[in-house]
Amino acid sequence: MKKYNPEEAIVSVRREFGEHGGVTPSIERSSTFTVLDPAMMTQIFQGKKSPEEGDFFLYSRNFNPTVNVLCRYLAAMEGSESAIATASGISAIACTLLQLCHRGDHIIASHQIYGGTHALLENIFPTMDIEVTFVHPTDLDAIKAAIRPKTRVIYTETMGNPLLTIANIPALAKIAHQSHDAIRLVVDNTFTPMLISPIALGADIVVHSMTKFINGASDIVAGAICASKNFIYQLMDLQEGRLMLLGPTIDPRVAFDVIQRLPHLGLRMREHSVRAMAIAERLQALGVKVQYPGLPSHPEHILFKSMLNENYGFGGMLTIDCGTRERAEKLLSVLQNEEKFGLIAVSLGYFDTLMSCSGSSTSSEISNEEQTQMGLSPGLVRLAIGYTGSLAARLDQITRAIKKVFT
Ligand SMILES: *Cc1c(COP(=O)(O)O)cnc(C)c1O
């Protein structure tokens, strides 16, 4: 299978130095840009001059030089022709799907997705007459059977939230592209940046919440769309661009923060993976119901391995099924308050471990009935493993916590 080297790609991007030779880019905070003569303004509005061809900037909701630097990095990271950064992950997802789907169209979506995306697809899209069929992400026959003439999108997360089910991206791309021309495979790669390059595996569009691993410091909210140049221009079109006209623009100051963190994303992902693997192995040895894509016991372990880029490991996410919500809450409390193993918080990709009980937090938008149907136990604890402190101490902490809660 075609592999990709995102770290090499990121360092190969044309470097942008600061105005005075700074080793970091300058931040262009201007919301508007001057032109030397009025005719130029007309040409920009007619689309005859664009920021891609030179320094023809107009207005920062459209394009901004600092945001463009980040976009070049993002395109390199995902191996896409182009990319655009947004104010949040959910806005990247919403604008992408609204650009692809109009009234009467149909979306096939994995049911194992971020709760907010699930709510958007279940509660908002139908009000615009866009129908959504939810499917199990690994049930390829069900996905094929769900295709209709008006299907425009197959939507999945690379590693589903919160059950860590792995999507077969090459197979989904094949289904999308062989059915009819108008179906796009859109993949949310938030859980697995660097590890998996969906575009090299056949996806059309990759979306991200950069709030998580990509930024890695839990101090900003941002998103990204990586796609063809044509699609990015459609999103930014002055007349019909969903990103341009719905307006979830990233602030250049926030874009700068992410620019400063992308070059060490590879290093961070590797360490998240090393820690998560060791902790998953320890939990397995303790007889706990642990799910981690790096363990041979994970149902899609072999598939995941076949899609992985080299040297980033299996990621930083794992789950423990405690059976009941009471026991899950006891474990969270012991891990945080007695053992100082991590923090009870939603989100992921932070340098400290973040832990939450999915059914009653990030997946609470999904009804209890549907949670049961998809196999989401009320006692499921999701851990986003961080890399602070020593691994040996972390292993001792979690071992003690498990013994306290399970015996
Ligand atoms: C957090 C998250 C989102 C939403 O991103 P925001 O930056 O919070 O808007 C979407 N998809 C996944 C997988 C996420 O974890």
Side-chain angles (χ1 to χ4, degrees), residues 138-210:
T138 63
D139 190 348
L140 299 178
D141 290 332
I143 294 168
K144 267 187 224 159
I147 289 176
R148 307 177 190 170
K150 294 293 257 176
T151 303
R152 291 290 170 266
V153 171
I154 296 177
Y155 183 88
T156 190
E157 291 176 4
T158 311
M159 185 187 285
N161 184 43
L163 296 172
L164 315 186
T165 303
I166 305 299
N168 187 337
I169 296 171
L172 291 175
K174 208 163 152 192
I175 293 172
H177 301 146
Q178 285 180 353
S179 301
H180 53 83
D181 282 351
I183 306 185
R184 300 284 171 267
L185 176 61
V186 180
V187 177
D188 181 335
N189 203 28
T190 300
F191 279 27
T192 46
M194 315 300 276
L195 279 70
I196 299 274
S197 299
I199 289 182
L201 299 171
D204 299 291
I205 299 170
V206 171
V207 290
H208 274 287
S209 167
M210 300 203 291

Side-chain angles (χ1 to χ4, degrees), residues 94-116:
C95 291
T96 296
L97 296 177
L98 287 172
Q99 195 73 43
L100 293 169
C101 302
H102 304 146
R103 191 159 31 131
D105 287 343
H106 174 242
I107 296 172
I108 298 170
S110 159
H111 66 180
Q112 292 183 30
I113 50 176
Y114 172 70

Side-chain angles (χ1 to χ4, degrees), residues 36 42 74 101 104 110 134 146 150 162 175 182 195 215 230 235 257 274-275 287 299 313 322 330 343 365:
L36 285 177
T42 316
L74 292 169
C101 302
S110 159
F134 288 99
K150 294 293 257 176
I175 293 172
L195 279 70
N215 184 62
N230 184 33
L235 284 166
D257 286 349
V274 166
R275 301 291 187 114
C322 299
K330 180 83 206 295
L343 304 168
E365 290 96 334

Side-chain angles (χ1 to χ4, degrees), residues 88-90 93 114 117 157 188 190-191 209 211-212 221-222 348:
S88 63
I90 199 74
I93 295 164
Y114 172 70
T117 312
E157 291 176 4
D188 181 335
T190 300
F191 279 27
S209 167
T211 314
K212 317 293 169 53
V221 174
L348 48 125

